[in-house]
């Protein structure tokens, strides 16, 4: 006998039961998946400066490309300026303003608006060139630095500041600019040490040592596109990656090791002397651009020198390569020298550094 047809209520009940069974099976067969993690926000880096950062700042392109090629891809250069005229692809945003002074930015209260528009986590600041050009003393320039730092921390209490000792400059018509840069740069580390905190550290980057106005600039101030921008980038990169990696406050990355030795010979008389120094590259790689640091003994005053540019006349001295001897091949030496007066002490310097790294004394 054929089965009796199901009534409407029975058919509905069967369908509902089948639906519930399938739903339960589906729920049982599914494994709970963890929620996908939101991608980490990029670290926002402001490159703050004047024309050396802005219009002439193709070191920015090199820095961006270096970061990308070494795995630092979660970086966002930020700024209200966009200068794309450099070779290769890069993040063009920056805060480089041609002709601006640190004191002008501070006095005109310009930085807060730029910070509000970009909210950086890290600021790379290279300011002071135009202030020195305007014959302002280091104390005035550092006062502007302090104002700018306070504005950065008001925007972001955890901001990290990477501040440059500015490159040397020797523009036409500014006889005191070279020494003005030295005076400012000598004061920057002490300022940074006094204002750095654990929450908002300050790192100092030496953009002066090894940089030559004769061979690395187009006009005694602005870096050229051959050696100049590459030297600037090579100093920014380790300092920025240290900040990206969470490094705390400090004087910045250690100098790139340079294997070297210095031999000194002197000829002295009752009130004067000459010293001849031979700097030898004892490493396996060439040195491209160099600065030799040493301290004159007490009572000595340098009166002239040759084959290098000398930063000061007494005390701590830095001799920077001339246009024709900036490259020292492995195993090769270059000779420089100076004449000095003395007050009865014709001794020679006893310690030397080449590009910040200590040399052996022959």
């Amino acid at each position: 006998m054929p089965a009796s047809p199901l009534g409407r209520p029975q058919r509905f009940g069967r369908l509902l039961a089948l639906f519930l069974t399938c739903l339960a099976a589906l729920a049982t067969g599914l494994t709970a998946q963890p929620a996908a993690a939101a991608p980490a926000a990029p670290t926002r880096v402001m490159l703050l400066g004047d024309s050396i950062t802005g219009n002439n700042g193709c070191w920015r392109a090199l820095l961006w490309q270096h970061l990308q090629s070494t795995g630092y891809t979660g970086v966002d250069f930020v700024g209200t300026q966009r200068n794309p005229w450099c070779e290769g692809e890069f993040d063009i945003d920056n805060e480089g303003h041609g002709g601006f002074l640190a004191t002008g930015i501070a006095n005109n209260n310009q930085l807060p608006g730029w910070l509000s528009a970009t909210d950086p986590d890290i600021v790379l600041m290279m300011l002071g060139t135009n202030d020195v050009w305007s014959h302002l003393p280091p104390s005035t320039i550092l006062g502007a630095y302090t104002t700018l730092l306070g504005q950065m921390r008001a925007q972001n209490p955890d901001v990290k500041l990477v501040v440059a000792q500015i490159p040397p400059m020797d523009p036409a018509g500014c006889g005191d600019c070279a020494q003005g840069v030295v005076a400012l740069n000598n004061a920057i580390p002490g300022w940074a040490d006094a204002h750095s905190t654990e929450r908002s550290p300050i790192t100092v980057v030496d953009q002066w040592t090894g940089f030559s106005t004769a061979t690395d600039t187009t006009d005694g101030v602005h870096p050229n596109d051959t050696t100049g921008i590459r030297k600037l980038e090579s100093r920014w990169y380790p300092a920025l990656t240290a900040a990206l990696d969470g490094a705390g406050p400090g004087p910045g990355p250690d100098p790139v090791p340079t294997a070297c030795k210095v031999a000194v010979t002197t000829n002295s008389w009752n009130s004067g002397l000459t010293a001849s120094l031979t700097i030898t590259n004892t490493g396996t790689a060439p040195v491209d651009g160099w600065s030799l640091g040493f301290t004159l003994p007490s009572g000595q005053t340098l009166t002239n020198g040759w084959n290098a540019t000398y930063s000061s006349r007494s005390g701590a001295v830095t001799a920077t390569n001339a246009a024709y001897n900036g490259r020292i091949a492995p195993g090769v030496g270059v000779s420089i020298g100076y004449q000095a007066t003395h007050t009865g002490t014709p001794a020679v310097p006893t310690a030397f550094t080449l590009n910040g790294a200590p040399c052996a004394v022959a």
Side-chain angles (χ1 to χ4, degrees):
M1 177 179 295
S4 300
L6 294 173
R8 178 175 295 177
Q10 291 174 306
R11 288 198 302 271
F12 178 77
R14 289 277 184 90
L15 290 172
L16 180 60
L18 179 61
F19 173 75
L20 293 174
T21 299
C22 292
L23 186 63
L26 179 63
T28 301
L30 289 176
T31 302
Q33 298 295 322
T43 302
R44 301 167 68 82
V45 179
M46 173 187 281
L47 312 180
L48 173 63
D50 45 42
S51 59
I52 298 176
T53 296
N55 296 342
N56 298 91
C58 285
W59 59 264
R60 294 182 289 106
L62 299 180
L63 180 59
W64 173 262
Q65 293 154 10
H66 197 173
L67 291 169
Q68 300 303 300
S69 67
T70 52
Y72 290 93
T73 56
V75 176
D76 181 15
F77 284 178
V78 297
T80 62
Q81 305 296 296
R82 292 169 179 82
N83 306 27
W85 310 289
C86 302
E87 186 174 341
E89 295 185 0
F90 68 104
D91 189 335
I92 64 176
D93 298 333
N94 69 92
E95 210 62 74
H97 298 264
F100 279 38
L101 286 69
T103 51
I105 296 172
N107 293 340
N108 296 323
N109 203 37
Q110 292 170 296
L111 184 59
W114 304 339
L115 293 169
S116 178
T118 57
D119 194 23
D121 303 297
I122 300 171
V123 176
L124 270 60
M125 184 175 80
M126 185 161 56
L127 278 172
T129 294
N130 291 311
D131 301 80
V132 171
W133 210 335
S134 300
H135 314 290
L136 297 179
S139 58
T140 301
I141 303 171
L142 294 181
Y145 282 13
T146 302
T147 298
L148 299 177
L149 176 64
Q151 293 169 343
M152 294 174 199
R153 288 174 171 168
Q155 174 69 31
N156 176 5
D158 300 304
V159 70
K160 296 178 181 178
L161 175 62
V162 184
V163 60
Q165 291 172 294
I166 63 175
M169 57 186 292
D170 188 23
C174 186
D176 63 347
C177 277
Q179 190 57 41
V181 171
V182 172
L184 174 61
N185 285 343
N186 286 342
I188 287 175
W191 174 86
D193 185 62
H195 290 85
S196 186
T197 67
E198 183 175 357
R199 182 173 183 180
S200 176
I202 302 173
T203 300
V204 177
V205 173
D206 180 3
Q207 290 288 12
W208 191 90
T209 301
F211 195 95
S212 167
T213 57
T215 59
D216 298 324
T217 73
T218 59
D219 56 4
V221 179
H222 298 95
N224 60 35
D225 287 337
T226 51
T227 57
I229 60 173
R230 284 165 175 77
K231 286 185 177 181
L232 295 182
E233 188 279 334
S234 70
R235 299 298 178 88
W236 281 127
Y237 175 82
L240 176 54
T241 54
L244 291 168
D245 290 337
D254 292 334
V256 177
T258 301
C260 54
K261 69 178 180 181
V262 178
V264 187
T265 59
T266 62
N267 178 36
S268 63
W269 55 96
N270 58 346
S271 61
L273 63 88
T274 59
S276 297
L277 289 69
T278 300
I279 311 162
T280 302
N281 177 3
T282 59
T284 58
V287 175
D288 287 307
W290 53 264
S291 287
L292 184 74
F294 57 92
T295 300
L296 288 172
S298 177
Q300 293 188 11
T301 301
L302 193 148
T303 57
N304 64 75
W306 52 92
N307 294 340
T309 300
Y310 295 82
S311 66
S312 61
R313 298 296 180 183
S314 61
V317 176
T318 301
T320 302
N321 65 269
Y324 51 82
N325 63 0
R327 183 179 178 88
I328 312 177
V332 174
V334 298
S335 295
I336 66 172
Y338 61 85
Q339 182 172 341
T341 60
H342 67 81
T343 56
T345 307
V348 298
T350 57
F352 298 88
T353 60
L354 189 66
N355 291 349
C359 292
V361 179

